[in-house]
Amino acid sequence: MKLVWFRNDLRLADNPALRHACAGEEPVAALFILSPTQWRQHKLAPVRQRFILAQVDELGRELAALGIPLHLLRVETYAEVPAALADLSRDLGVTRLYANQAIEIDEQRRDRAVSAVLAEQEIACHWFNGCCVLPPGRVLTGSGEMFKVYTPFSRAWLKALEEDGFVIHRAPEPRGASLPWQPLAEREFVDATLGELTPDPRWPVGEAEAQRRLTSFLDEAVLDYGETRDFPALAGTSVLSPYLAAGIISPRQCVGALQQRLGYRPQSKAQPGFVWLNELTWREFYRHLLVLIPSLSMNRPFKAETAALPWSWDPDAFAAWCEGRTGYPIVDAAMRCLNATGWMHNRLRMIVASFLTKDLHIHWRLGEDYFMSKLIDGDLAANNGGWQWAAGTGADAAPYFRVFNPTTQGQRFDPQGEFIRTWVTELADVPAAYLHQPHDWLRLKGRQDYPLPIVDHAVARVRAIEMFRFLEK
């Protein structure tokens, strides 16, 4: 018996572990392990947990239709996984385990422990690259080190992609008669605190839905992506991040579909489609970094010297940021959108992260944790990379004095206030000319239903720069 262990790769198509397990005639079974206490320790958002479990339900039905049973285990922490997996393997008569590699440090430690325990039962473990187009470690400097700046990494990544190519594998063929599947909602497998397993209707699960979104984006938006991607009121992005984070679609499928749509693989900014490919490359960069620099999984800054930054702590200011009460409309709209939907536009993520770290001078780790506790697409590599980029502690060639002005960012990327009015409803009737600095207009109207700015951006910017100069002393 071969056993396929599904993790953040909840799909049938382009799943290397599943494909290799299904080679040959030996029976195949599948496994998913829920670790609720570990998930909570990792700040996994409830909306993301529900999304994952709803996809597990969908995956279980699809596997059953192929004649592959999906077994479910529930253990509270990763420390319990090796023994539980060994017991299941013994019961099923497993001879080989197949799984796609994890990139986070806790997950890697878990997998090493699993390999050691199963080796005692003479069960071979086979690990594959299922989360990146090119495996971590493939794109290195001439001296064999990980790139510390994105631009040279992206050039080397594109070159390696041309040299290596890639194959997208179809879902496996049926391996026997269809099997029954008992929905998760009818089992005691799931923590009742998650409530209904059905995810937000804005985020339907399933590989077909992920492919539909990808096709729609490539047909309707990819050619204009460079011009529209920064405007949150426009449908200019793929909105595939939850599906990539859960592994419902693979990055190889995205690159392959882009190439098929265009008839070529973009190589420079001058070519249509390159800007979106560049975003996929950023995703690769952060994932490669996480594997090759494990300290990033342990709350450490990429730039070691920035561990000494004198961050401030103001619980009231942090609460105002979390709840969207800062007095800066674009920041408040973004945070309210996150809290209500579990998702935030990428431009807005940069704005609110800069505001927390450079205006409020609050540690990036608090923002990183809050995002993970809310995001449906919460992914350690991308989330950590984005927060450290914004805070000036990460892999970024830009100088530390880059500080986003929240007012001008709002004026530039939501000029008519369409996004702001959607989420900051108390500003719905403010004219566009005043919307990004509405306080004088509100005062003239005798209104006090929107908070004053909690910080003077000009003053806060100077303080942020001084924080980094402190490191030079």
Side-chain angles (χ1 to χ4, degrees):
M1 171 74 72
K2 300 176 183 177
L3 183 63
V4 184
W5 181 10
F6 285 88
R7 293 95 75 80
N8 288 336
D9 51 359
L10 302 175
R11 62 184 183 272
L12 301 181
D14 197 38
N15 188 318
L18 179 62
R19 182 182 71 85
H20 282 84
C22 289
E25 301 300 322
E26 190 175 351
V28 175
L31 170 68
F32 180 80
I33 301 176
L34 170 67
S35 303
T37 298
Q38 194 79 48
W39 281 8
R40 285 191 291 270
Q41 291 174 357
H42 286 173
K43 307 292 192 303
L44 209 67
V47 66
R48 176 159 161 73
Q49 294 184 44
R50 289 193 292 269
F51 183 72
I52 289 171
L53 290 172
Q55 176 60 22
V56 169
D57 216 8
E58 177 73 10
L59 180 67
R61 283 191 290 269
E62 293 178 342
L63 286 168
L66 297 177
I68 300 174
L70 176 62
H71 298 273
L72 302 173
L73 285 178
R74 174 173 172 152
V75 298
E76 292 303 312
T77 67
Y78 289 163
E80 302 169 52
V81 169
L85 191 45
D87 289 343
L88 178 67
S89 298
R90 189 180 301 110
D91 293 342
L92 295 178
V94 172
T95 57
R96 281 174 283 181
L97 177 73
Y98 294 78
N100 295 311
Q101 293 170 330
I103 63 170
E104 302 84 359
I105 189 67
D106 286 345
E107 285 75 359
Q108 288 190 17
R109 289 169 175 164
R110 173 201 63 195
D111 293 350
R112 285 195 293 268
V114 165
S115 292
V117 169
L118 293 188
E120 296 175 0
Q121 297 180 203
E122 298 184 348
I123 298 174
C125 294
H126 303 274
W127 308 97
F128 303 90
N129 168 44
C131 71
C132 295
V133 178
L134 297 175
R138 170 62 181 90
V139 184
L140 300 174
T141 66
S143 58
E145 298 179 349
M146 176 62 197
F147 285 93
K148 296 182 178 180
V149 177
Y150 171 73
T151 300
F153 171 87
S154 66
R155 288 195 292 262
W157 185 86
L158 286 169
K159 181 180 178 182
L161 188 61
E162 287 296 310
E163 293 173 350
D164 294 5
F166 60 91
V167 177
I168 298 173
H169 299 282
R170 296 180 179 179
E173 297 294 326
R175 299 184 61 82
S178 179
L179 302 172
W181 172 254
Q182 182 184 11
L184 267 61
E186 300 175 4
R187 309 185 190 205
E188 296 181 358
F189 173 70
V190 179
D191 193 330
T193 60
L194 289 177
E196 294 293 329
L197 289 182
T198 304
D200 188 313
R202 285 171 285 211
W203 307 105
V205 296
E207 291 180 70
E209 173 63 19
Q211 288 293 334
R212 185 197 67 77
R213 289 180 177 229
L214 175 59
T215 299
S216 176
F217 170 72
L218 294 177
D219 286 346
E220 300 172 11
V222 73
L223 297 182
D224 298 321
Y225 180 74
E227 289 72 42
T228 62
R229 64 179 178 138
D230 283 318
F231 295 86
L234 301 178
T237 65
S238 70
V239 200
L240 279 170
S241 54
Y243 300 88
L244 281 164
I248 301 172
I249 194 170
S250 77
R252 282 188 295 262
Q253 288 173 297
C254 292
V255 175
L258 175 65
Q259 182 172 333
Q260 184 176 28
R261 167 67 175 80
L262 298 175
Y264 60 89
R265 187 183 303 144
Q267 297 293 313
S268 71
K269 293 180 180 179
Q271 293 180 295
F274 180 82
V275 179
W276 189 59
L277 179 62
N278 198 51
E279 291 302 308
L280 294 172
T281 314
W282 268 105
R283 181 180 186 275
E284 296 269 305
F285 178 56
Y286 286 143
R287 298 181 84 77
H288 287 216
L289 276 179
L290 203 67
V291 172
L292 298 173
I293 307 178
S295 62
L296 295 176
S297 289
M298 297 181 279
N299 294 320
R300 309 279 177 78
F302 176 83
K303 297 175 182 175
E305 69 276 12
T306 62
L309 281 168
W311 299 105
S312 303
W313 172 237
D314 183 336
D316 292 335
F318 183 64
W321 177 83
C322 292
E323 297 165 12
R325 297 184 289 102
T326 69
Y328 285 89
I330 193 66
V331 173
D332 294 341
M335 296 305 295
R336 295 184 196 187
C337 176
L338 170 65
N339 293 333
T341 69
W343 189 78
M344 187 188 290
H345 187 281
N346 187 58
R347 169 56 58 173
L348 300 178
R349 297 187 197 207
M350 292 189 286
I351 293 171
V352 302
S354 178
F355 189 85
L356 184 72
T357 57
K358 300 293 182 64
D359 283 78
L360 301 182
H361 313 126
I362 291 175
H363 204 300
W364 56 267
R365 290 204 304 258
L366 295 171
E368 179 190 15
D369 282 353
Y370 189 77
F371 264 31
M372 284 298 290
S373 75
K374 294 294 182 179
L375 283 170
I376 191 169
D377 62 356
D379 172 84
L380 177 59
N383 193 44
N384 178 273
W387 271 97
Q388 293 219 45
W389 182 91
T393 65
D396 181 20
Y400 59 77
F401 48 79
R402 178 191 56 212
V403 181
F404 283 12
N405 183 317
T407 301
T408 57
Q409 287 284 308
Q411 291 168 336
R412 181 177 178 185
F413 297 115
D414 192 28
Q416 298 304 312
E418 296 172 67
F419 179 80
I420 290 172
R421 295 178 207 281
T422 299
W423 294 104
V424 187
T425 54
E426 58 267 43
L427 300 181
D429 61 342
V430 177
Y434 302 97
L435 186 61
H436 299 281
Q437 293 177 300
H439 304 92
D440 288 343
W441 188 89
L442 293 171
R443 186 168 54 252
L444 288 173
K445 299 296 181 180
R447 287 170 49 182
Q448 298 179 342
D449 55 342
Y450 183 66
L452 293 170
I454 62 173
V455 66
D456 183 321
H457 171 72
V459 174
R461 178 183 180 278
V462 171
R463 169 61 183 143
I465 294 172
E466 289 176 348
M467 284 172 54
F468 281 85
R469 287 179 176 161
F470 165 84
L471 298 178
E472 301 173 354
K473 297 179 181 179

